[in-house]
């Protein structure tokens, strides 16, 4: 790739569905050597779309890793053939490749990009709770499986490398000096859990029998060990059953309480806390939204939606949304791009009919909220349907008569079904952002800039997105 001409680089981009970048790469005369020398800042200047930036950097990174791997592998084999000619043949060659592959982990392994809620916990240097530890372990296991090219059988050294990488990046996870053993054991247990369906597969059992393995008995275990395992398994099954029964009782209580007019909110909070692990598991496993809401109907209440968001991110989203709208409303309404927008025109007509300061402030905040997609050049139909029918499947607001103080209505829709009625534009905007996180719904590209702006302010990142 280093010797490629500009045209060869352009052809390479076209083959990888990055044809939009070709004119800019020709203009800047980016050849193969220049391509491999690009850093993050250069890519941002060359490539406008964030998605294309990510794909391009990933392709360059993979090529560089592959190149360094091939170079070190050829050096390894060359050295082995010089010092030990008998090694580079047959099985010995295979084992030297395997050894090299293991050694590659030490130089190439990097921790995965954890989800946002996990990043928040780790950034605050707080020891994660049980459910968060499970999420970290799940991501590490999935990432290791990628490095192993689909294998579910890491060796001890590979476990050590991954756990060391985790504790070096986040030293506070090494609880009382025992963190290494605890995280390694948890990671091993996760792989065992993932392998369990494979071990129980009928075809696998038949193949084991073919080679002398008896059903229900491992080759290296004695009768006593098998008996102990059976007892242990029975105890675990009983615990799981009891835990499942308790969860069922909590879910049943939540459904009954949801139907009441006067609710015991303190007990609702307690039971939502107890059931968060199973709820997050359902959401991460992409269970249908109807099933999640059937089990946990209180997620339809804005208060519980905000509370769930706070449990995941340690951020009071309603409070932050109030601050954002109060700070940015006037700036948004003063932008030239929204001057002739129908919502702004509607606002100006309604402002003439009122003199109360609170009403005027509320109407301006409502208009600023609804005009956000217009400011960023996004698709407003994926953000709010104003006096129209909701058509988007992703979270979207339904707004009726936004500037009529007596008849204005706000509602949050997901999958074209109403999730919650909302009191005002602040609650509506907070609910919209929270819904994407709580239900783990990917943000559509056509509304990405608007939500990125809001999230950067909600989470108070160091360099928040700014208004155009």
């Amino acid at each position: 790739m280093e010797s490629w001409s500009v045209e060869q680089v352009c052809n390479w981009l076209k083959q990888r569905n990055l044809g939009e970048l070709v004119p800019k790469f020709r203009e800047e005369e980016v050849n193969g050597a220049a391509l491999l020398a690009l850093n993050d800042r250069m890519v941002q200047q060359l490539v406008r779309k964030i998605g294309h930036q990510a794909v391009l950097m990933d392709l360059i990174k993979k090529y560089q890793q592959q190149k360094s791997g091939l170079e070190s592998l050829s050096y390894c084999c060359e050295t082995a053939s010089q010092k030990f000619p008998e090694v580079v043949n047959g099985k010995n060659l295979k084992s030297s490749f395997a050894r090299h592959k293991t050694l590659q982990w030490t130089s190439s392994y990097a921790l995965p990009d954890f989800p946002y809620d996990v990043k928040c916990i780790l950034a605050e240097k707080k020891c994660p709770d049980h459910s968060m530890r499970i999420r970290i372990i799940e991501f590490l296991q999935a990432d290791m499986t990628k490095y192993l090219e689909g294998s579910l059988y890491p060796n001890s050294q590979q476990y050590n490398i991954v756990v060391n990488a985790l504790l070096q990046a986040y030293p506070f996870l090494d609880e009382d000096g025992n963190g290494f053993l605890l995280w390694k054991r948890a990671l091993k247990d996760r792989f065992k859990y993932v392998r369990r369906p494979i071990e129980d597969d009928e075809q696998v059992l038949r193949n084991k029998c073919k080679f002398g393995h008896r059903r229900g008995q491992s080759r290296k275990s004695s009768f006593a060990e098998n008996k102990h395992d059976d007892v242990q398994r029975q105890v675990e099954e009983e615990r799981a059953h009891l835990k499942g029964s308790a969860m069922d009782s909590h879910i049943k209580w939540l459904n009954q309480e949801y139907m009441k007019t006067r609710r015991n909110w303190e007990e609702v909070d307690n039971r939502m806390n107890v059931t968060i692990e199973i709820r997050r598991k359902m959401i991460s496993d992409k269970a249908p939204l109807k099933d999640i809401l059937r089990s946990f109907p209180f997620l339809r209440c804005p208060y519980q939606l905000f509370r769930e968001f706070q449990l995941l991110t340690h951020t009071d989203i309603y409070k932050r949304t109030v601050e954002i709208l109060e700070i940015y409303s006037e700036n948004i309404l003063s932008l030239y791009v929204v001057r002739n927008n129908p919502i702004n025109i509607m606002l100006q007509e309604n402002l003439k009919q009122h003199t109360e300061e609170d009403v005027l402030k509320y109407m301006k905040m409502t208009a600023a909220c609804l005009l956000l997609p217009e400011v960023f050049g996004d698709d407003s139909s994926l953000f709010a349907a104003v006096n129209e029918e909701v058509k988007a499947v992703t979270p979207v607001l339904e707004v009726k008569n936004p500037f009529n103080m007596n008849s204005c209505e706000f509602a949050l829709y997901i999958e074209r079904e109403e999730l919650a009625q909302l009191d005002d534009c602040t609650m509506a905007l907070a609910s919209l952002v929270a819904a994407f996180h709580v239900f783990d719904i990917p943000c559509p590209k056509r509304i990405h800039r608007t939500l990125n702006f809001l999230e950067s302010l909600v989470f108070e990142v160091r360099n928040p997105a700014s208004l155009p």
Side-chain angles (χ1 to χ4, degrees):
M1 186 180 277
E2 293 91 333
S3 60
W4 283 2
S5 65
V6 174
E7 279 308 312
Q8 285 174 309
V9 170
C10 292
N11 290 334
W12 178 78
L13 291 170
K14 290 175 185 176
Q15 290 168 6
R16 280 150 184 80
N17 296 322
L18 295 173
E20 292 180 30
L21 311 183
V22 167
K24 189 66 176 175
F25 272 63
R26 282 203 182 110
E27 181 187 338
E28 298 293 337
E29 297 183 358
V30 179
N31 58 18
L35 179 68
L36 294 177
L38 291 177
N39 57 31
D40 289 353
R41 170 164 285 192
M42 293 176 185
V43 170
Q44 288 172 6
Q45 291 174 349
L46 273 171
V47 183
R48 185 178 178 184
K49 293 183 180 177
I50 293 174
H52 287 169
Q53 291 175 13
V55 171
L56 183 62
M57 289 301 294
D58 187 53
L59 288 170
I60 294 171
K61 183 180 176 183
K62 284 179 179 175
Y63 174 81
Q64 289 170 337
Q65 286 178 350
Q66 184 181 7
K67 182 184 172 221
S68 63
L70 287 171
E71 286 175 353
S72 57
L73 179 58
S74 61
Y75 173 79
C76 175
C77 293
E78 197 176 310
T79 307
S81 63
Q82 291 170 0
K83 292 186 177 180
F84 312 103
E86 72 282 1
V87 169
V88 191
N89 62 72
K91 291 183 179 178
N92 290 331
L93 179 62
K94 187 175 180 180
S95 64
S96 68
F97 270 94
R99 277 199 304 275
H100 173 74
K101 196 166 185 179
T102 301
L103 290 172
Q104 277 291 93
W105 275 65
T106 57
S107 59
S108 67
Y109 183 76
L111 288 172
D113 188 20
F114 291 115
Y116 195 85
D117 55 322
V118 176
K119 285 181 183 175
C120 289
I121 292 291
L122 295 175
E124 292 174 5
K125 296 185 178 179
K126 291 183 179 179
C127 287
D129 58 18
H130 179 67
S131 61
M132 193 60 69
R133 288 173 72 94
I134 289 174
R135 293 202 74 199
I136 293 171
I137 288 295
E138 285 176 349
F139 272 84
L140 288 176
Q141 179 269 316
D143 195 56
M144 284 181 72
T145 304
K146 288 180 186 175
Y147 269 83
L148 289 164
E149 297 178 355
S151 172
L152 295 175
Y153 295 90
N155 59 34
S156 184
Q157 186 180 357
Q158 288 163 343
Y159 280 122
N160 293 345
I161 290 167
V162 173
V163 175
N164 273 326
L166 180 69
L167 297 184
Q168 283 176 10
Y170 309 105
F172 59 91
L173 295 177
D174 189 5
E175 302 160 18
D176 301 324
N178 297 319
F180 181 86
L181 294 175
L182 293 173
W183 285 99
K184 185 176 178 181
R185 170 51 55 194
L187 195 52
K188 281 187 170 183
D189 289 343
R190 175 65 189 172
F191 268 98
K192 285 181 182 176
Y193 175 79
V194 174
R195 288 196 301 261
R196 191 183 302 163
I198 300 172
E199 297 290 339
D200 295 339
D201 184 74
E202 188 63 30
Q203 184 62 44
V204 173
L205 292 172
R206 279 201 296 271
N207 289 339
K208 282 184 173 182
C209 290
K210 189 190 297 184
F211 293 99
H213 175 81
R214 295 181 183 178
R215 284 180 180 256
Q217 180 183 8
S218 60
R219 279 183 302 182
K220 297 181 180 179
S221 63
S222 64
F223 175 77
E225 287 172 336
N226 277 330
K227 188 173 182 180
H228 175 268
D229 290 344
D230 289 342
V231 171
Q232 191 68 25
R233 194 180 299 113
Q234 187 175 353
V235 170
E236 288 174 1
E237 286 174 357
E238 286 175 0
R239 282 179 184 166
H241 175 69
L242 290 172
K243 187 177 180 181
S245 300
M247 285 296 170
D248 289 342
S249 68
H250 288 311
I251 290 170
K252 185 178 180 181
W253 186 91
L254 287 168
N255 277 270
Q256 290 173 346
E257 193 70 10
Y258 184 73
M259 301 304 292
K260 295 180 181 178
T261 307
R262 299 182 65 181
R263 295 156 178 166
N264 182 349
W265 287 108
E266 185 177 351
E267 186 61 22
V268 169
D269 289 350
N270 291 335
R271 302 218 181 208
M272 290 293 281
N273 282 348
V274 171
T275 56
I276 188 168
E277 188 175 336
I278 188 171
R279 189 161 59 253
R280 300 318 306 170
K281 183 74 168 63
M282 287 178 72
I283 291 170
S284 65
D285 288 345
K286 303 300 179 187
L289 181 66
K290 289 182 179 179
D291 292 350
I292 296 166
L293 295 176
R294 193 179 298 120
S295 299
F296 303 101
F298 278 98
L299 288 178
R300 292 179 177 275
C301 302
Y303 162 74
Q304 281 298 330
L305 194 65
F306 299 157
R307 191 171 178 279
E308 187 92 350
F309 184 91
Q310 190 159 10
L311 289 172
L312 294 173
T313 65
H314 302 281
T315 303
D316 185 341
I317 190 169
Y318 182 75
K319 180 182 175 184
R320 292 292 302 131
T321 305
V322 171
E323 293 169 357
I324 291 165
L325 285 178
E326 287 181 344
I327 293 169
Y328 285 90
S329 292
E330 294 290 348
N331 290 340
I332 291 168
L333 295 174
S334 66
L335 293 173
Y336 179 79
V337 72
V338 303
R339 186 169 297 175
N340 297 318
N341 187 280
I343 289 174
N344 198 15
I345 294 169
M346 198 189 311
L347 168 69
Q348 300 306 323
E349 291 174 354
N350 281 272
L351 287 176
K352 298 171 185 176
Q353 302 172 17
H354 299 275
T355 55
E356 301 91 336
E357 189 175 337
D358 289 344
V359 173
L360 297 177
K361 180 182 176 182
Y362 169 80
M363 292 169 70
K364 288 179 180 179
M365 287 171 63
T366 302
C369 168
L370 299 177
L371 287 168
L372 267 174
E374 186 75 19
V375 170
F376 289 94
D378 281 340
D379 186 346
S380 59
S381 68
L382 297 177
F383 186 84
V386 182
N387 296 329
E388 293 178 359
E389 183 184 352
V390 169
K391 296 177 182 177
V393 179
T394 50
V396 67
L397 299 175
E398 183 192 56
V399 185
K400 294 180 180 177
N401 308 316
F403 305 115
N404 188 321
M405 304 306 294
N406 297 319
S407 62
C408 61
E409 294 179 15
F410 297 86
L412 175 65
Y413 275 67
I414 304 180
E415 296 180 358
R416 299 193 186 93
E417 296 286 337
E418 184 181 302
L419 184 82
Q421 288 282 342
L422 309 162
D423 294 342
D424 52 36
C425 68
T426 309
M427 184 179 284
L429 188 58
S431 299
L432 181 68
V433 177
F436 278 100
H437 281 267
V438 169
F439 297 109
D440 195 20
I441 298 171
C443 170
K445 288 183 180 179
R446 288 181 293 158
I447 201 70
H448 173 77
R449 287 185 289 267
T450 304
L451 287 179
N452 182 52
F453 168 74
L454 291 169
E455 288 175 358
S456 70
L457 296 173
V458 167
F459 296 118
E460 299 181 284
V461 299
R462 287 183 181 178
N463 296 310
S466 58
L467 291 171

